[in-house]
Amino acid sequence: MLCKGFAPVIAPDSVVLILGSMPGELSLERQEYYGNPRNDFWRLLASLHGEDGVPNTYEERLKFAIDRKIALWDVLSSCEREGSLDANIREPDVNDFDALFAEYPSLSTVMFNGAASEKLFRKHAAHLTDHSRLRFIRLPSSSPANAMGWERKLAAWREAWREVPGRGDA
């Protein structure tokens, strides 16, 4: 099945870009980043910023991220995939990161939401990993397929977040 990703959620002052690989089936169906309620992404983001709960609506969630200078996108603009697993990705088409980083010079940190997004990025956009203004950090995947457990996942995200310039207070 052909999967088509979403446009980036980004503002001119965004400093962190969190990259997934390609939205899962439920996210694609809902047309929402991290739209599967079993995905820990929004809960992790809220917890990192001292919030007890996740914003209710998708629009509020996007505003929450943008207000904290966090942009969202995926490595792939499209691919062939059956189901939601990254292991099933075939025929990947990569987003235009050269254009994105040129248009948004305030971006300084790229955080990969899991090993698959990092692997895809490094395979298809390796020339950007040498870019002097960008820092690259891998997070444990927020996906429900990651059986790491909430406490360990949150601790790892907190530790990684401390590496983001100006964001060590989260």
Side-chain angles (χ1 to χ4, degrees), residues 4 16 35-36 77 81 91 97 103 112 118 120 141 169:
K4 291 191 175 246
V16 175
N36 184 336
S77 61
R81 183 184 66 201
E91 314 238 0
F97 290 101
E103 186 174 348
F112 300 105
E118 180 181 32
L120 286 164
S141 174
D169 57 338

Side-chain angles (χ1 to χ4, degrees), residues 92-123:
D93 188 23
V94 178
N95 277 312
D96 187 349
F97 290 101
D98 291 304
L100 185 85
F101 292 129
E103 186 174 348
Y104 296 95
S106 62
L107 288 171
S108 61
T109 303
V110 176
M111 301 185 94
F112 300 105
N113 188 352
S117 62
E118 180 181 32
K119 182 178 177 183
L120 286 164
F121 185 90
R122 292 191 186 278
K123 180 177 181 179

Side-chain angles (χ1 to χ4, degrees), residues 15-19 101 105-112 118 121-122 128-139 159-168:
V15 295
V16 175
L17 173 63
I18 300 179
L19 287 177
F101 292 129
S106 62
L107 288 171
S108 61
T109 303
V110 176
M111 301 185 94
F112 300 105
E118 180 181 32
F121 185 90
R122 292 191 186 278
L128 292 170
T129 59
D130 295 331
H131 202 293
S132 62
R133 75 164 201 207
L134 298 173
R135 166 179 265 158
F136 296 91
I137 301 169
R138 184 198 318 169
L139 302 164
E159 185 63 30
W161 205 255
R162 285 186 183 94
E163 295 181 41
V164 177
R167 298 203 129 353

Side-chain angles (χ1 to χ4, degrees), residues 45-119:
L45 211 56
S47 293
L48 286 176
H49 291 89
E51 300 294 325
D52 292 329
V54 174
N56 291 322
T57 68
Y58 183 59
E59 291 73 24
E60 290 170 336
R61 291 174 181 189
L62 295 181
K63 183 178 182 331
F64 181 86
I66 288 296
D67 286 350
R68 285 149 186 84
K69 301 183 181 195
I70 299 168
L72 308 175
W73 209 17
D74 290 299
V75 175
L76 303 180
S77 61
S78 68
C79 68
E80 290 286 335
R81 183 184 66 201
E82 293 303 320
S84 294
L85 295 178
D86 290 331
N88 295 338
I89 290 174
R90 305 287 179 262
E91 314 238 0
D93 188 23
V94 178
N95 277 312
D96 187 349
F97 290 101
D98 291 304
L100 185 85
F101 292 129
E103 186 174 348
Y104 296 95
S106 62
L107 288 171
S108 61
T109 303
V110 176
M111 301 185 94
F112 300 105
N113 188 352
S117 62
E118 180 181 32
K119 182 178 177 183

